[in-house]
Amino acid sequence: MKFGGTSVEDAAAILRTAAIVAGRRRKGLNPIVVVSAMAKVTDTLLAAAAAAGNNDRESALRLSEGLRTRHLDVAAALVADPDRLTSLQLTLHHDFDSLDDLLRGISAVGELTPRTSDHVVSFGERLSSAIVTAAFAEQSLSSAHVDARNVILTDANYGKATPHPRAIENALTAQVLPLVELGRVPVLGGFIGSCDGITTTLGRGGSDYTAALIGGALHTGAIEIWTDVDGIMTTDPRIVPEALRVKTISFEEAAELAYFGAKVLHPATILPAVQKNIPVYVLNSRNAENPGTRITATPPPCASPFKSIAAKKKLTIIDIVASRMLLAHGFLKSVFDVFDKHQCAIDMVSTSEVSISVTVDSKQALPAICAELSQLADVKYESNKALICLVGEDIRGISGIAAQVFAAVSHINIRMISQGASEINMSFMINEEDVEEAVRSLHTKFFAAPDAAIFDVESVPGVAGLSRR
Ligand code: ADP
Ligand code: ASP
Ligand code: MG
């Protein structure tokens, strides 16, 4: 069971989380709990690290002080037992003292390396997991804190480390299973790991991944991702408030959605689950009775072509034009080698005889990449682009679907199109400022008469029963 930042954001949220876990225990299940940092803490820690890296010691320490107060307040609100509270406060103060030492050190050198950044940001999950463990105990839920860094063993790619599944399985068997066998609920911080004793992280949103790695390694009966929405929705409810819950979705569809921007799930979450065919559920910790979304190998057929629409902002399109390379073989390889060298992932590609356009989401390496590409071709790039991705198993072989999609966004300028790379996704690139309008238009077009077998139409007055296969 993984609880995201909003599910542990304050004392009330942590109490709801404890009640949900206790409910699973009453059903005779033995959950392992993974928690994120409290909402916004990761961002604040990154801001503190950045300030320290700019020699701004005062700002860094002020941000840390704010976090210290917030964590101590939540601890005091949750834990009444004096011994337990004293011990938790000691842990929190000890962690914040080391964080402050670290921030002072970073501002003294005025340099923030990815390795130190991971160290700073790891405090978020270390602190939240300590508080949640104590809060569970206070609610008579026998719990045990496990330092995730001793379990989630990774390579040394700071900021986005790759886990070592075999080593993780061994560590879980040695350190976590014995706790489960004693009837205790292990609580681990998500997102963090280690390589040779040095702290690493799995990348933003990585707590989902931690849960999936644990579920996959121990072959658990389910992986539950508890968040602040009712499940995977037909699109981001922040853009379309009337988005519907998708009751079931396939692993492939969920993976495409996650990769192309649906923040509700980390893209890597699906893999460990697929490999062992473990069902993944996305559930709402503020509405625990709701059945959420079930992600499975083969979902039932759906009458609507699409299940969900994702959008990913902050992308850059790079146009590489090489008329002198006309038909030269090996050209694509030399282009992709440049991206590979800078470890820059490409989201979308489109080619013509003399040119190739690619989209990337990293701005960092862009100047270096473009400088190298200029030796091969003429290079231009445009930032502030966004990708819109429509996902559905049932678009395979539907004729006229592309016409319907583009008719719905005929008033929006489309910069690049891709279909067919996977048979279940259609994507295109637009300007960032058009995202909301494009998503709303597509949502209106494709979810006006949703299939009640797949979408939660019961939640929408007047729509229920409208569409049956
Ligand atoms: P957590 O902190 O629990 O991991 P996140 O903020 O990472 O939560 O993810 C949940 C958010 O994802 C939701 O609040 C919602 O705004 C956003 N989101 C984007 N696309 C979707 C979608 N298709 N379905 C549900 N939520 C989505
Ligand atoms: N706390 C981390 C983040 O905000 C990891 C997570 O929440 O999944 O990115
Ligand atoms: Mg998340």
Side-chain angles (χ1 to χ4, degrees):
M1 303 177 77
K2 174 263 174 174
F3 292 87
T6 44
S7 306
V8 294
E9 66 186 344
D10 53 23
I14 294 175
L15 285 177
R16 283 196 296 272
T17 291
I20 291 167
V21 175
R24 289 289 184 272
R25 293 280 294 159
R26 278 197 299 279
K27 283 189 177 162
L29 298 167
N30 298 307
I32 297 170
V33 170
V34 172
V35 293
S36 291
M38 291 163 66
K40 309 244 162 60
V41 168
T42 304
D43 288 339
T44 309
L45 287 167
L46 286 172
N54 287 326
N55 298 108
D56 187 355
R57 200 175 80 140
E58 294 312 308
S59 302
L61 292 177
R62 203 174 324 114
L63 289 169
S64 163
E65 192 52 40
L67 290 179
R68 188 189 291 247
T69 311
R70 177 171 167 202
H71 283 80
L72 286 167
D73 287 351
V74 171
L78 284 167
V79 180
D81 179 273
D83 291 342
R84 187 175 289 132
L85 181 59
T86 309
S87 144
L88 178 59
Q89 285 168 334
L90 270 176
T91 305
L92 299 182
H93 278 303
H94 177 266
D95 278 351
F96 276 107
D97 291 347
S98 346
L99 172 63
D100 289 351
D101 283 346
L102 190 57
L103 292 171
R104 282 190 203 97
I106 297 168
S107 33
V109 253
E111 191 200 359
L112 179 67
T113 62
R115 172 173 157 169
T116 337
S117 174
D118 271 2
H119 194 175
V120 170
V121 85
S122 73
F123 280 96
E125 270 71 8
R126 288 156 63 185
L127 294 156
S128 65
S129 54
I131 295 179
V132 168
T133 310
F136 281 7
E138 190 75 13
Q139 300 300 313
S140 310
L141 197 59
S142 171
S143 57
H145 189 221
V146 177
D147 189 334
R149 295 171 301 168
N150 297 331
V151 175
I152 304 298
L153 305 169
T154 71
D155 69 5
N157 186 13
Y158 300 105
K160 205 174 183 143
T162 303
H164 295 313
R166 199 35 81 65
I168 292 174
E169 190 179 326
N170 292 338
L172 285 165
T173 308
Q175 299 170 48
V176 175
L177 278 187
L179 298 168
V180 176
E181 273 150 21
L182 286 172
R184 300 175 75 179
V185 178
V187 180
L188 297 88
F191 175 58
I192 59 177
S194 72
C195 174
D196 297 332
I198 310 291
T199 302
T200 57
T201 64
L202 302 174
R204 291 306 304 267
S207 295
D208 297 345
Y209 194 16
T210 303
L213 286 166
I214 296 176
L218 296 179
H219 212 310
T220 55
I223 297 168
E224 296 183 352
I225 306 295
W226 289 85
T227 182
D228 60 353
V229 281
D230 277 343
I232 295 182
M233 316 287 282
T234 46
T235 192
D236 188 343
R238 283 183 216 189
I239 302 180
V240 179
E242 57 283 5
L244 300 169
R245 173 171 62 92
V246 183
K247 296 184 200 168
T248 48
I249 197 164
S250 70
F251 282 126
E252 284 83 6
E253 289 168 320
E256 295 275 341
L257 280 174
Y259 185 74
F260 288 113
K263 192 185 167 219
V264 64
L265 215 57
H266 184 278
T269 313
I270 306 295
L271 191 64
V274 176
Q275 286 166 343
K276 303 266 171 82
N277 200 12
I278 302 171
V280 178
Y281 296 86
V282 180
L283 297 152
N284 189 350
S285 69
R286 293 177 180 159
N287 187 15
E289 296 308 310
N290 191 288
T293 299
R294 180 182 160 97
I295 308 173
T296 53
T298 42
C302 175
S304 321
F306 297 114
K307 297 261 176 58
S308 185
I309 307 168
K312 189 170 177 181
K313 289 189 177 178
K314 297 196 187 138
L315 298 182
T316 299
I317 300 182
I318 309 178
D319 293 316
I320 304 151
V321 182
S323 31
R324 61 180 188 279
M325 283 293 178
L326 194 73
L327 297 180
H329 86 93
F331 178 62
L332 284 181
K333 178 176 185 307
S334 33
V335 166
F336 287 128
D337 281 348
V338 174
F339 289 94
D340 187 48
K341 186 173 147 198
H342 293 276
Q343 300 190 345
C344 177
I346 295 173
D347 284 322
M348 196 195 272
V349 186
S350 144
T351 63
S352 80
E353 192 179 22
V354 292
S355 63
I356 158 164
S357 300
V358 303
T359 71
V360 299
D361 70 359
S362 116
K363 269 200 177 143
Q364 256 178 355
L366 217 50
I369 289 175
C370 288
E372 275 188 50
L373 288 173
S374 314
Q375 295 169 8
L376 305 168
D378 296 329
V379 183
K380 276 188 310 197
Y381 66 87
E382 282 176 71
S383 298
N384 304 326
K385 300 289 163 202
L387 185 147
I388 303 287
C389 165
L390 296 105
V391 167
E393 289 273 2
D394 299 289
I395 59 174
R396 299 177 211 257
I398 302 183
S399 49
I401 192 73
Q404 289 184 42
V405 168
F406 293 116
V409 289
S410 58
H411 53 307
I412 289 167
N413 182 27
I414 293 175
R415 191 53 178 71
M416 254 172 98
I417 298 175
S418 153
Q419 189 194 353
S422 104
E423 286 185 332
I424 61 166
N425 135 5
M426 276 185 63
S427 337
F428 56 90
M429 300 289 300
I430 57 176
N431 288 327
E432 232 174 46
E433 66 263 23
D434 292 332
V435 164
E436 279 73 18
E437 173 57 25
V439 170
R440 275 189 217 111
S441 302
L442 290 164
H443 196 270
T444 308
K445 161 94 190 156
F446 289 105
F447 298 102
D451 181 348
I454 300 293
F455 304 102
D456 180 15
V457 294
E458 292 82 8
S459 62
V460 187
V463 178
L466 210 160
S467 157
R468 307 281 353 182
R469 289 179 71 80

